[in-house]
């Protein structure tokens, strides 16, 4: 029964060896780790077969020799692996390969074809569970003991030195600690049961050594998994693939000479292809995942930078606005003090001039206000204080104020305000008033003679109100209509008229109207033919 | 009392208020404002925000915590953001005005209307 345990462990080790080879084909160090695994597996296999009940007695001698050969190779391959890991052999790969081949050839010859180390074995006793062997050694049995222990000792020193020096290798330290722990635990157990005890002719426990290598396999797998978080799926897929291939291979071999041979061959080929492809695809997926993670991190960092830039920008604008307003306040303050006659009267002409200073300063303050509002809108920081607003009141107040300004300019001012309905909307009264004011102001600005007409009406069907301002001014061409509501977009005729302002008025007006779920519209028959601006807003 | 660090504005306000018959006291920052407000007991305070040594908010806090004076404080600033507005109102300002919007005379008129509204609200007497 114990032989079955060892057979399974042998399989496990061989699967691990294949896995490692498949995965790290190109890395010499891992190839040697795979050889080590294979040696362990082969050793376990030959222990199993030696103590197996149905093994023909004549073969036991041969099997024992091979057993010891692989036992020695276990030490040798582990040492070679450690040498590679410690990077001593950097650049000396070719030399190492030659040495490896030489060692293997020599040892194979020594163990199998000569009797210097082991001559054979005989069955001491056979019971239900186990066959206990008695090994017969040659004169140089000490060679086995010395090389085995020396290999592991040197390997241990090299590995510890590696961990100590923390040499930069693509494999993290996790795998090293796990290898160390796993290997030396097995070494202690296996060394005791398979090397020490047989010296005293206690060979009942030689099955324990190979069985204990399951600890070593487990530790290697754990180390691999831990050092490559995303490698879990790849490992499982590869494991599955390898197992599938092994079983198909076994089926194939078993079917040689039978009728199912073609089927077995087909299954084998299919499984090999399928496993290879699935491993490839899982690897690709993992790679993509990795890439996405890196990109996500980069985006996160860029986002943080952008946020801080945004903050800087709005702080700058706040500061700039405040600094621009301070001297403007002073200009307006002094100018108005002069025109109001507070420090003595001015002549009408003087008063007129000083008043222009006041108006220009006010204009500039409005421009600053516009810039501030535009930047607020663009940053999404424009805040509205929504409440129920009586639009008619606002329009009436504005009309009476603007009437004076229009008539001062020699224009006829008409207002057609519907008195029969309710004009309540949900909105920010200050901002809505600003929009209406801008619209009327624009009309007056761009009309040299004629009229400006303000009207307020509603459409009962879709519950919207319409505020519109018509004028007999310079009109708007088709192409100008396109860019009218854009930032700084003025009509071509408008730019010859020095009207001051920021060119942002309509852009802001539209933004405010849209925030109130309304829309703005412009109608004009062309240049020189006047225009009508309308604001549609939903009634509450 | 006008608490404002810009010397030009100090002069402009002083001239405009005095011509209307008011007595004007000028303080250059919150600190000197705090030390004189109890002694002078003004009928209204015009308070700037951006000042050295002690800004407008600190002044408002200090008045609230250290005195039991009930004087209308009108914040006059060139800051127009909502955060400033909210902060001023919460700190107890009677009104918040944007300096650049007013001429000298207009400011006096606005202050007068704020004060009478404040007094009506606080004494319950019908104007």
């Amino acid at each position: 029964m114990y032989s079955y345990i060892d057979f399974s462990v042998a399989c496990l080790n061989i699967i691990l060896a294949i896995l490692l080879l498949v995965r790290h084909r190109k890395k010499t160090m891992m190839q040697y780790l795979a050889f080590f695994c294979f040696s362990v597996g082969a050793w376990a296999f030959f222990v199993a077969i030696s103590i197996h009940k149905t093994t023909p007695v004549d073969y036991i001698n041969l099997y024992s020799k091979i057993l010891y050969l692989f036992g020695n190779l276990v030490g040798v391959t582990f040492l070679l692996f450690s040498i590679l890991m410690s990077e001593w052999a950097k650049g000396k790969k070719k030399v190492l390969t030659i040495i490896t081949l030489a060692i293997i050839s020599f040892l194979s010859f020594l163990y199998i074809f000569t009797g210097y180390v082991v001559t054979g074995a005989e069955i001491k006793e056979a019971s239900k569970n186990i066959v206990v062997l008695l090994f017969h050694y040659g004169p140089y049995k000490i060679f086995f003991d010395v090389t085995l222990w020396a290999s592991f000792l040197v390997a241990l020193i090299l590995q510890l030195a590696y961990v100590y020096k923390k040499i930069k290798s693509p494999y993290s330290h996790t795998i090293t600690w796990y290898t160390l722990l796993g290997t030396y635990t097995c070494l202690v157990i296996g060394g005791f049961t398979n090397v020490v005890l047989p010296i005293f002719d206690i060979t009942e426990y030689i099955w324990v050594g190979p069985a204990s290598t399951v600890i070593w396999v487990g530790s290697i797998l754990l180390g691999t998994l831990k050092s490559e978080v995303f490698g879990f799926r790849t490992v499982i897929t590869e494991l599955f693939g390898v197992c599938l291939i092994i079983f198909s291979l076994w089926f194939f071999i078993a079917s040689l000479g039978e009728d199912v041979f073609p089927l077995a061959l087909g299954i084998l080929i299919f499984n090999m292809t399928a496993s290879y492809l699935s491993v490839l695809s899982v690897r690709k997926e993992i790679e993509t995942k990795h890439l996405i993670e890196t990109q996500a991190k980069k985006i996160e960092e860029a986002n943080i930078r952008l946020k801080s830039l945004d903050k800087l920008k709005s702080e700058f604008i706040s500061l700039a606005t405040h600094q621009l307003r301070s001297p403007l306040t002073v200009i307006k303050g002094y100018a108005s003090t002069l025109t109001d006659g507070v420090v003595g009267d001015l002549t009408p002409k003087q008063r007129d001039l000083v008043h222009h200073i006041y108006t220009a300063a006010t204009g500039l303050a409005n421009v600053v206000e516009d810039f501030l509002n535009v930047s607020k809108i663009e940053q999404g920081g424009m805040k509205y204080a929504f409440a129920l607003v009586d639009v008619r009141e606002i329009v009436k107040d504005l009309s009476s104020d603007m009437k004076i300004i229009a008539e001062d300019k020699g224009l006829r001012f008409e207002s057609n305000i519907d008195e029969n309905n309710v004009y309540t909307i949900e909105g920010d009264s200050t901002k809505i008033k600003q929009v209406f004011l801008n619209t009327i102001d624009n009309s007056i600005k761009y009309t040299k003679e004629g009229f400006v007409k303000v009207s307020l009406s509603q459409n009962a069907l879709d519950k919207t109100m319409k505020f519109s301002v018509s004028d007999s001014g310079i009109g708007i061409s088709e192409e100008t209509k396109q860019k009218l509501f854009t930032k700084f977009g003025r009509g071509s005729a408008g730019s010859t008229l020095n009207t001051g302002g920021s060119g942002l008025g309509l852009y802001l007006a539209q933004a405010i109207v849209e925030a109130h779920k309304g829309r703005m519209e412009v109608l004009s028959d062309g240049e020189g033919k006047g225009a009508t601006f309308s604001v549609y807003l939903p009634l509450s | 009392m006008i608490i404002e660090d810009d010397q030009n504005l100090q002069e402009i306000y002083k001239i405009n208020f005095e011509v209307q018959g008011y007595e004007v006291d000028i303080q250059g920052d919150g600190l000197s404002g705090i030390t004189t407000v109890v002694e002078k007991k003004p009928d209204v305070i015009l308070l700037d925000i951006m000042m050295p040594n002690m800004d407008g908010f600190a002044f408002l806090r200090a008045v609230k915590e250290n005195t039991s004076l009930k004087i209308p404080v009108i914040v006059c600033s060139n800051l127009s953001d909502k955060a400033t507005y909210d902060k001023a109102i919460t700190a107890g300002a009677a009104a918040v005005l944007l300096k650049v919007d007013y001429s000298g005379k207009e400011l006096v008129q606005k202050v007068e209307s704020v004060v009478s509204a404040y007094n009506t609200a606080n004494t319950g007497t019908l104007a």
Side-chain angles (χ1 to χ4, degrees), chain B residues 1 36-45 69-72:
Chain B
M1 175 175 288
T36 53
V37 73
V38 178
E39 155 204 342
K40 303 272 173 127
K41 289 205 187 49
D43 298 307
V44 64
I45 299 175
L69 293 171
K70 286 256 177 279
I71 306 174

Side-chain angles (χ1 to χ4, degrees), chain A residues 100-152:
Chain A
T100 316
L101 286 172
I103 291 177
I104 294 176
S105 321
F106 169 71
L107 286 175
S108 310
F109 178 75
L110 181 68
Y111 280 87
I112 299 176
F113 297 107
T114 72
Y116 288 134
V117 185
V118 177
T119 54
E122 64 174 278
I123 298 176
K124 196 160 72 170
E125 56 179 279
S127 71
K128 201 164 51 141
N129 277 336
I130 193 170
V131 168
V132 182
L133 297 171
L134 182 66
F135 289 102
H136 296 303
Y137 301 111
Y140 299 103
K141 198 281 180 153
I142 198 94
F143 173 80
F144 171 78
D145 296 313
V146 167
T147 45
L148 192 67
W149 292 115
S151 312
F152 274 108

Side-chain angles (χ1 to χ4, degrees), chain A residues 161 199 294 463:
Chain A
I199 293 177
T294 342
K463 294 202 84 187

Side-chain angles (χ1 to χ4, degrees), chain A residues 33-78:
Chain A
L33 187 62
F35 293 158
F36 169 65
C37 277
F38 180 76
S39 307
V40 174
W43 168 64
F45 177 78
F46 282 100
V47 169
I49 210 170
S50 300
I51 61 173
H52 191 64
K53 278 191 318 197
T54 62
T55 305
V57 179
D58 330 330
Y59 286 109
I60 292 184
N61 282 334
L62 179 62
Y63 290 157
S64 332
K65 287 179 164 191
I66 299 176
L67 190 160
Y68 269 87
L69 165 65
F70 277 112
N72 206 325
L73 279 175
V74 159
V76 167
T77 48
F78 194 66

Side-chain angles (χ1 to χ4, degrees), chain A residues 140-413:
Chain A
Y140 299 103
K141 198 281 180 153
I142 198 94
F143 173 80
F144 171 78
D145 296 313
V146 167
T147 45
L148 192 67
W149 292 115
S151 312
F152 274 108
L153 195 66
V154 175
L156 178 65
I157 294 170
L158 284 172
Q159 293 200 355
L160 285 175
Y162 163 79
V163 170
Y164 217 65
K165 263 199 252 172
K166 290 195 178 146
I167 299 169
K168 264 277 177 178
S169 105
Y171 303 95
S172 68
H173 301 309
T174 339
I175 204 175
T176 323
W177 277 117
Y178 282 102
T179 354
L180 269 180
L181 212 64
T183 327
Y184 290 96
T185 313
C186 294
L187 181 65
V188 166
I189 299 174
F192 183 68
T193 56
N194 289 56
V195 185
V196 174
L197 288 184
I199 293 177
F200 305 101
D201 285 335
I202 303 172
T203 53
E204 297 95 275
Y205 300 104
I206 59 169
W207 65 271
V208 173
S212 74
T213 63
V214 79
I215 296 174
W216 132 259
V217 171
S219 72
I220 272 284
L221 274 178
L222 212 66
T224 317
L225 284 180
K226 283 222 158 189
S227 66
E228 275 180 293
V229 180
F230 290 112
F232 184 69
R233 283 180 64 193
T234 326
V235 172
I236 296 298
T237 317
E238 287 171 347
L239 198 67
F240 185 69
V242 167
C243 288
L244 210 60
I245 292 174
I246 288 177
F247 285 123
S248 330
L249 198 61
W250 172 79
F251 180 45
F252 171 72
I253 292 171
S255 74
L256 282 171
E258 309 278 339
D259 291 333
V260 289
F261 169 74
L263 178 66
L265 180 62
I267 291 177
L268 176 65
I269 294 174
F270 174 77
N271 281 335
M272 286 173 84
T273 323
S275 306
Y276 179 68
L277 288 174
S278 43
V279 167
L280 272 184
S281 90
V282 170
R283 287 242 193 114
K284 193 84 205 282
E285 222 185 286
I286 306 270
E287 250 177 66
T288 320
K289 219 183 195 175
H290 241 295
L291 222 84
I292 292 176
E293 286 253 320
T294 342
Q295 288 301 85
K297 223 185 242 178
K298 280 197 191 145
I299 290 174
E300 169 108 30
E301 286 167 8
N303 248 1
I304 292 174
R305 263 182 52 239
L306 275 172
K307 281 207 179 118
S308 77
L309 276 173
D310 243 352
K311 189 162 176 270
L312 269 168
K313 184 179 165 197
S314 61
E315 280 172 2
F316 168 77
I317 287 174
S318 261
L319 185 67
T321 339
H322 181 269
Q323 296 303 87
L324 286 167
R325 281 175 175 154
S326 299
L328 279 174
T329 318
V330 172
I331 295 172
K332 281 178 77 167
Y334 281 132
S336 62
T337 308
L338 281 169
T339 52
D340 291 338
V342 175
V343 283
D345 284 324
L346 298 170
T347 68
K349 185 71 183 170
Q350 284 170 337
R351 192 166 341 125
D352 192 36
L353 262 57
V354 177
H355 185 68
H356 284 318
I357 297 176
Y358 182 84
T359 328
T362 309
L364 186 55
N366 289 337
V367 169
V368 169
E369 183 77 22
D370 282 350
F371 279 140
L372 182 65
N373 284 332
V374 167
S375 90
K376 268 195 216 166
I377 286 175
E378 295 203 312
Q379 299 211 293
M382 179 65 110
K383 296 193 176 89
Y384 296 93
F386 282 104
L388 288 174
V389 173
D390 184 351
V391 172
R392 186 172 38 218
E393 277 305 308
I394 294 177
V395 176
K396 276 167 106 170
D397 284 339
L398 277 175
S399 299
S400 53
D401 289 340
M402 300 309 272
K403 180 172 167 140
I404 303 168
I405 297 174
E407 285 173 353
D408 262 352
K409 206 179 165 186
L411 302 170
R412 200 171 74 244
F413 189 90

Side-chain angles (χ1 to χ4, degrees), chain A residues 366 393-415 417 433-446 451-455 467 469-470:
Chain A
N366 289 337
E393 277 305 308
I394 294 177
V395 176
K396 276 167 106 170
D397 284 339
L398 277 175
S399 299
S400 53
D401 289 340
M402 300 309 272
K403 180 172 167 140
I404 303 168
I405 297 174
E407 285 173 353
D408 262 352
K409 206 179 165 186
L411 302 170
R412 200 171 74 244
F413 189 90
E414 286 173 34
S415 60
I417 300 171
K433 182 169 176 179
Q434 190 69 40
V435 171
F436 292 164
L437 177 67
N438 275 353
T439 319
I440 303 175
D441 194 50
N442 266 350
S443 280
I444 296 176
K445 249 194 328 221
Y446 290 101
F451 66 89
V452 170
K453 193 158 71 177
V454 170
S455 68
F467 165 85
V469 182
S470 311

